[in-house]
Amino acid sequence: MITVSSKMQYWLRFLAGGLLNTGLTYGLYFLLQKVFFYQIAYALAYASGIVFSYWFNASIVFKTPLSWKGLFTYPLVYVVQYGTSALLLGVLIERLRIPAHLAPLLVLVVMIPLTFFLSRWILRGRKSAV
């Protein structure tokens, strides 16, 4: 029988939620762009993905109560994530000469832990031991 540590369970749930969110958001975008201009469809799907991510990470990953404050604070994770990703992507491509088609994969690897810790910090604050 395989046992998984509680810390690893957080990570696995977080990764599963990210994969599920990606699939659901893409599916919603695909459906919405049949009705709306693609930019509107993307914005709606993206916003829905943030709401889903908040719900999933609060309820399933970190098991914290849902709140309006949490819902409106959680998008800060995405603001920091995007800014950091954009800067890192620029460094990888322009300074380190990583090919543009490979650099986003490296950014993704770096951003997963950062996003995890930002999400945990927003959702659990200082009481987090994970």
Side-chain angles (χ1 to χ4, degrees):
M1 182 169 152
I2 298 174
T3 59
V4 179
S5 72
S6 61
K7 288 183 180 186
M8 184 59 78
Q9 288 176 11
Y10 281 105
W11 280 98
L12 292 174
R13 288 192 304 251
F14 182 78
L15 291 173
L19 290 171
L20 181 60
N21 190 17
T22 300
L24 291 173
T25 302
Y26 180 72
L28 183 59
Y29 167 72
F30 183 76
L31 292 172
L32 288 173
Q33 57 108 15
K34 293 179 182 290
V35 178
F36 297 105
F37 178 63
Y38 75 91
Q39 289 288 8
I40 293 170
Y42 184 76
L44 291 170
Y46 192 84
S48 297
I50 293 173
V51 172
F52 176 81
S53 180
Y54 166 68
W55 171 81
F56 191 91
N57 285 323
S59 299
I60 308 296
V61 178
F62 299 112
K63 300 184 187 307
T64 59
L66 300 175
S67 69
W68 288 109
K69 180 184 176 190
L71 179 62
F72 289 112
T73 306
Y74 192 75
L76 290 174
V77 170
Y78 286 85
V79 171
V80 172
Q81 179 189 45
Y82 179 81
T84 306
S85 295
L87 287 172
L88 182 57
L89 188 65
V91 168
L92 290 174
I93 293 171
E94 295 174 22
R95 303 269 182 184
L96 300 179
R97 305 287 186 225
I98 305 290
H101 67 282
L102 295 178
L105 299 174
L106 294 173
V107 170
L108 176 67
V109 169
V110 171
M111 292 312 299
I112 289 172
L114 178 63
T115 304
F116 175 86
F117 291 117
L118 283 171
S119 296
R120 184 184 69 186
W121 181 70
I122 293 264
L123 295 172
R124 294 187 75 182
R126 296 175 192 249
K127 53 187 170 182
S128 181
V130 174

